[in-house]
PDB file of all heavy atoms in Angstrom:
ATOM      1  N   LEU A  38      85.702 102.427 106.058  1.00 94.00           N
ATOM      2  CA  LEU A  38      85.816 102.967 107.414  1.00 94.00           C
ATOM      3  C   LEU A  38      87.227 102.818 107.984  1.00 94.00           C
ATOM      4  O   LEU A  38      87.926 103.798 108.208  1.00 94.00           O
ATOM      5  CB  LEU A  38      84.806 102.277 108.335  1.00 94.00           C
ATOM      6  CG  LEU A  38      84.833 102.694 109.803  1.00 94.00           C
ATOM      7  CD1 LEU A  38      84.544 104.188 109.953  1.00 94.00           C
ATOM      8  CD2 LEU A  38      83.848 101.864 110.619  1.00 94.00           C
ATOM      9  N   SER A  47      88.408  99.215 113.683  1.00 70.00           N
ATOM     10  CA  SER A  47      87.289  99.302 114.616  1.00 70.00           C
ATOM     11  C   SER A  47      87.117  97.990 115.356  1.00 70.00           C
ATOM     12  O   SER A  47      86.615  97.966 116.484  1.00 70.00           O
ATOM     13  CB  SER A  47      86.002  99.668 113.859  1.00 70.00           C
ATOM     14  OG  SER A  47      85.746  98.734 112.829  1.00 70.00           O
ATOM     15  N   VAL A 141      79.227 105.657 103.622  1.00 97.00           N
ATOM     16  CA  VAL A 141      80.240 104.796 104.230  1.00 97.00           C
ATOM     17  C   VAL A 141      79.859 103.344 103.971  1.00 97.00           C
ATOM     18  O   VAL A 141      78.726 102.932 104.222  1.00 97.00           O
ATOM     19  CB  VAL A 141      80.349 105.049 105.745  1.00 97.00           C
ATOM     20  CG1 VAL A 141      81.330 104.065 106.388  1.00 97.00           C
ATOM     21  CG2 VAL A 141      80.787 106.478 106.015  1.00 97.00           C
ATOM     22  N   LEU A 142      80.800 102.573 103.431  1.00 98.00           N
ATOM     23  CA  LEU A 142      80.615 101.140 103.191  1.00 98.00           C
ATOM     24  C   LEU A 142      81.668 100.400 103.998  1.00 98.00           C
ATOM     25  O   LEU A 142      82.861 100.638 103.829  1.00 98.00           O
ATOM     26  CB  LEU A 142      80.782 100.815 101.704  1.00 98.00           C
ATOM     27  CG  LEU A 142      79.816 101.503 100.736  1.00 98.00           C
ATOM     28  CD1 LEU A 142      80.198 101.176  99.294  1.00 98.00           C
ATOM     29  CD2 LEU A 142      78.386 101.086 101.003  1.00 98.00           C
ATOM     30  N   SER A 143      81.235  99.490 104.870  1.00 93.00           N
ATOM     31  CA  SER A 143      82.186  98.866 105.784  1.00 93.00           C
ATOM     32  C   SER A 143      81.802  97.441 106.107  1.00 93.00           C
ATOM     33  O   SER A 143      80.617  97.096 106.225  1.00 93.00           O
ATOM     34  CB  SER A 143      82.265  99.672 107.085  1.00 93.00           C
ATOM     35  OG  SER A 143      83.102  99.028 108.031  1.00 93.00           O
ATOM     36  N   ALA A 144      82.822  96.596 106.296  1.00 88.00           N
ATOM     37  CA  ALA A 144      82.597  95.223 106.729  1.00 88.00           C
ATOM     38  C   ALA A 144      82.296  95.144 108.223  1.00 88.00           C
ATOM     39  O   ALA A 144      81.866  94.094 108.708  1.00 88.00           O
ATOM     40  CB  ALA A 144      83.821  94.354 106.423  1.00 88.00           C
ATOM     41  N   SER A 145      82.483  96.223 108.959  1.00 83.00           N
ATOM     42  CA  SER A 145      82.084  96.244 110.363  1.00 83.00           C
ATOM     43  C   SER A 145      80.567  96.288 110.464  1.00 83.00           C
ATOM     44  O   SER A 145      79.868  96.531 109.480  1.00 83.00           O
ATOM     45  CB  SER A 145      82.697  97.447 111.074  1.00 83.00           C
ATOM     46  OG  SER A 145      84.101  97.335 111.137  1.00 83.00           O
ATOM     47  N   GLY A 146      80.035  96.065 111.648  1.00 77.00           N
ATOM     48  CA  GLY A 146      78.593  95.956 111.828  1.00 77.00           C
ATOM     49  C   GLY A 146      77.865  97.283 111.705  1.00 77.00           C
ATOM     50  O   GLY A 146      78.391  98.337 112.042  1.00 77.00           O
ATOM     51  N   GLN A 147      76.608  97.210 111.233  1.00 74.00           N
ATOM     52  CA  GLN A 147      75.885  98.426 110.911  1.00 74.00           C
ATOM     53  C   GLN A 147      75.591  99.280 112.137  1.00 74.00           C
ATOM     54  O   GLN A 147      75.577 100.513 112.039  1.00 74.00           O
ATOM     55  CB  GLN A 147      74.575  98.092 110.192  1.00 74.00           C
ATOM     56  CG  GLN A 147      73.557  97.337 111.022  1.00 74.00           C
ATOM     57  CD  GLN A 147      72.284  97.060 110.230  1.00 74.00           C
ATOM     58  OE1 GLN A 147      72.223  97.291 109.027  1.00 74.00           O
ATOM     59  NE2 GLN A 147      71.268  96.556 110.911  1.00 74.00           N
ATOM     60  N   GLU A 148      75.394  98.668 113.296  1.00 70.00           N
ATOM     61  CA  GLU A 148      75.091  99.478 114.470  1.00 70.00           C
ATOM     62  C   GLU A 148      76.292 100.265 114.968  1.00 70.00           C
ATOM     63  O   GLU A 148      76.131 101.212 115.736  1.00 70.00           O
ATOM     64  CB  GLU A 148      74.523  98.605 115.600  1.00 70.00           C
ATOM     65  CG  GLU A 148      73.061  98.242 115.422  1.00 70.00           C
ATOM     66  CD  GLU A 148      72.881  97.063 114.482  1.00 70.00           C
ATOM     67  OE1 GLU A 148      73.899  96.455 114.065  1.00 70.00           O
ATOM     68  OE2 GLU A 148      71.726  96.745 114.151  1.00 70.00           O
ATOM     69  N   VAL A 149      77.481  99.882 114.584  1.00 77.00           N
ATOM     70  CA  VAL A 149      78.664 100.685 114.863  1.00 77.00           C
ATOM     71  C   VAL A 149      78.898 101.681 113.725  1.00 77.00           C
ATOM     72  O   VAL A 149      79.174 102.854 113.947  1.00 77.00           O
ATOM     73  CB  VAL A 149      79.914  99.788 115.048  1.00 77.00           C
ATOM     74  CG1 VAL A 149      81.193 100.605 114.974  1.00 77.00           C
ATOM     75  CG2 VAL A 149      79.828  99.049 116.378  1.00 77.00           C
ATOM     76  N   VAL A 150      78.761 101.206 112.498  1.00 81.00           N
ATOM     77  CA  VAL A 150      79.117 102.024 111.339  1.00 81.00           C
ATOM     78  C   VAL A 150      78.155 103.202 111.153  1.00 81.00           C
ATOM     79  O   VAL A 150      78.589 104.333 110.889  1.00 81.00           O
ATOM     80  CB  VAL A 150      79.145 101.162 110.067  1.00 81.00           C
ATOM     81  CG1 VAL A 150      79.377 102.019 108.829  1.00 81.00           C
ATOM     82  CG2 VAL A 150      80.225 100.088 110.183  1.00 81.00           C
ATOM     83  N   GLU A 151      76.857 102.958 111.273  1.00 80.00           N
ATOM     84  CA  GLU A 151      75.897 104.011 110.965  1.00 80.00           C
ATOM     85  C   GLU A 151      76.037 105.247 111.859  1.00 80.00           C
ATOM     86  O   GLU A 151      76.051 106.375 111.361  1.00 80.00           O
ATOM     87  CB  GLU A 151      74.477 103.451 111.007  1.00 80.00           C
ATOM     88  CG  GLU A 151      74.188 102.516 109.845  1.00 80.00           C
ATOM     89  CD  GLU A 151      72.813 101.873 109.924  1.00 80.00           C
ATOM     90  OE1 GLU A 151      72.132 102.059 110.961  1.00 80.00           O
ATOM     91  OE2 GLU A 151      72.428 101.191 108.961  1.00 80.00           O
ATOM     92  N   PRO A 152      76.147 105.092 113.188  1.00 77.00           N
ATOM     93  CA  PRO A 152      76.340 106.289 114.013  1.00 77.00           C
ATOM     94  C   PRO A 152      77.656 107.013 113.737  1.00 77.00           C
ATOM     95  O   PRO A 152      77.700 108.242 113.738  1.00 77.00           O
ATOM     96  CB  PRO A 152      76.295 105.753 115.451  1.00 77.00           C
ATOM     97  CG  PRO A 152      75.546 104.475 115.349  1.00 77.00           C
ATOM     98  CD  PRO A 152      75.935 103.899 114.016  1.00 77.00           C
ATOM     99  N   ILE A 153      78.731 106.275 113.489  1.00 82.00           N
ATOM    100  CA  ILE A 153      80.001 106.920 113.161  1.00 82.00           C
ATOM    101  C   ILE A 153      79.871 107.682 111.849  1.00 82.00           C
ATOM    102  O   ILE A 153      80.355 108.812 111.706  1.00 82.00           O
ATOM    103  CB  ILE A 153      81.140 105.896 113.091  1.00 82.00           C
ATOM    104  CG1 ILE A 153      81.380 105.265 114.464  1.00 82.00           C
ATOM    105  CG2 ILE A 153      82.419 106.545 112.574  1.00 82.00           C
ATOM    106  CD1 ILE A 153      82.417 104.157 114.465  1.00 82.00           C
ATOM    107  N   ALA A 154      79.194 107.075 110.874  1.00 87.00           N
ATOM    108  CA  ALA A 154      78.989 107.743 109.590  1.00 87.00           C
ATOM    109  C   ALA A 154      78.234 109.051 109.772  1.00 87.00           C
ATOM    110  O   ALA A 154      78.584 110.083 109.174  1.00 87.00           O
ATOM    111  CB  ALA A 154      78.231 106.819 108.632  1.00 87.00           C
ATOM    112  N   ALA A 155      77.204 109.037 110.594  1.00 80.00           N
ATOM    113  CA  ALA A 155      76.441 110.264 110.829  1.00 80.00           C
ATOM    114  C   ALA A 155      77.297 111.321 111.517  1.00 80.00           C
ATOM    115  O   ALA A 155      77.211 112.513 111.191  1.00 80.00           O
ATOM    116  CB  ALA A 155      75.205 109.948 111.680  1.00 80.00           C
ATOM    117  N   LEU A 156      78.128 110.899 112.430  1.00 79.00           N
ATOM    118  CA  LEU A 156      78.957 111.840 113.174  1.00 79.00           C
ATOM    119  C   LEU A 156      79.976 112.550 112.293  1.00 79.00           C
ATOM    120  O   LEU A 156      80.310 113.704 112.536  1.00 79.00           O
ATOM    121  CB  LEU A 156      79.676 111.114 114.309  1.00 79.00           C
ATOM    122  CG  LEU A 156      78.771 110.686 115.469  1.00 79.00           C
ATOM    123  CD1 LEU A 156      79.489 109.716 116.370  1.00 79.00           C
ATOM    124  CD2 LEU A 156      78.301 111.893 116.251  1.00 79.00           C
ATOM    125  N   ALA A 162      74.934 104.846 105.276  1.00 95.00           N
ATOM    126  CA  ALA A 162      75.969 103.822 105.448  1.00 95.00           C
ATOM    127  C   ALA A 162      75.376 102.455 105.161  1.00 95.00           C
ATOM    128  O   ALA A 162      74.189 102.208 105.397  1.00 95.00           O
ATOM    129  CB  ALA A 162      76.532 103.869 106.864  1.00 95.00           C
ATOM    130  N   VAL A 163      76.231 101.566 104.672  1.00 97.00           N
ATOM    131  CA  VAL A 163      75.885 100.161 104.498  1.00 97.00           C
ATOM    132  C   VAL A 163      76.992  99.356 105.156  1.00 97.00           C
ATOM    133  O   VAL A 163      78.178  99.631 104.951  1.00 97.00           O
ATOM    134  CB  VAL A 163      75.755  99.771 103.012  1.00 97.00           C
ATOM    135  CG1 VAL A 163      75.419  98.285 102.884  1.00 97.00           C
ATOM    136  CG2 VAL A 163      74.693 100.617 102.321  1.00 97.00           C
ATOM    137  N   ALA A 164      76.609  98.356 105.951  1.00 91.00           N
ATOM    138  CA  ALA A 164      77.597  97.604 106.714  1.00 91.00           C
ATOM    139  C   ALA A 164      77.107  96.177 106.917  1.00 91.00           C
ATOM    140  O   ALA A 164      76.002  95.807 106.507  1.00 91.00           O
ATOM    141  CB  ALA A 164      77.845  98.283 108.058  1.00 91.00           C
ATOM    142  N   THR A 165      77.928  95.375 107.566  1.00 88.00           N
ATOM    143  CA  THR A 165      77.591  93.989 107.842  1.00 88.00           C
ATOM    144  C   THR A 165      76.430  93.905 108.829  1.00 88.00           C
ATOM    145  O   THR A 165      76.366  94.661 109.790  1.00 88.00           O
ATOM    146  CB  THR A 165      78.821  93.252 108.395  1.00 88.00           C
ATOM    147  OG1 THR A 165      79.825  93.209 107.372  1.00 88.00           O
ATOM    148  CG2 THR A 165      78.498  91.842 108.830  1.00 88.00           C
ATOM    149  N   LEU A 263      74.777 102.672 120.628  1.00 38.00           N
ATOM    150  CA  LEU A 263      75.004 101.780 119.492  1.00 38.00           C
ATOM    151  C   LEU A 263      74.440 100.406 119.793  1.00 38.00           C
ATOM    152  O   LEU A 263      74.221 100.041 120.945  1.00 38.00           O
ATOM    153  CB  LEU A 263      76.509 101.649 119.215  1.00 38.00           C
ATOM    154  CG  LEU A 263      77.215 102.932 118.802  1.00 38.00           C
ATOM    155  CD1 LEU A 263      78.678 102.631 118.559  1.00 38.00           C
ATOM    156  CD2 LEU A 263      76.597 103.508 117.549  1.00 38.00           C
ATOM    157  N   GLY A 267      77.267  95.343 115.240  1.00 45.00           N
ATOM    158  CA  GLY A 267      78.543  95.894 114.820  1.00 45.00           C
ATOM    159  C   GLY A 267      79.666  95.495 115.736  1.00 45.00           C
ATOM    160  O   GLY A 267      80.755  95.137 115.286  1.00 45.00           O
TER     161      GLY A 267
END
Side-chain angles (χ1 to χ4, degrees):
L38 178 60
S47 56
V141 175
L142 300 175
S143 175
S145 294
Q147 65 179 9
E148 281 82 6
V149 165
V150 174
E151 289 176 353
I153 295 175
L156 289 167
V163 179
T165 295
L263 297 180

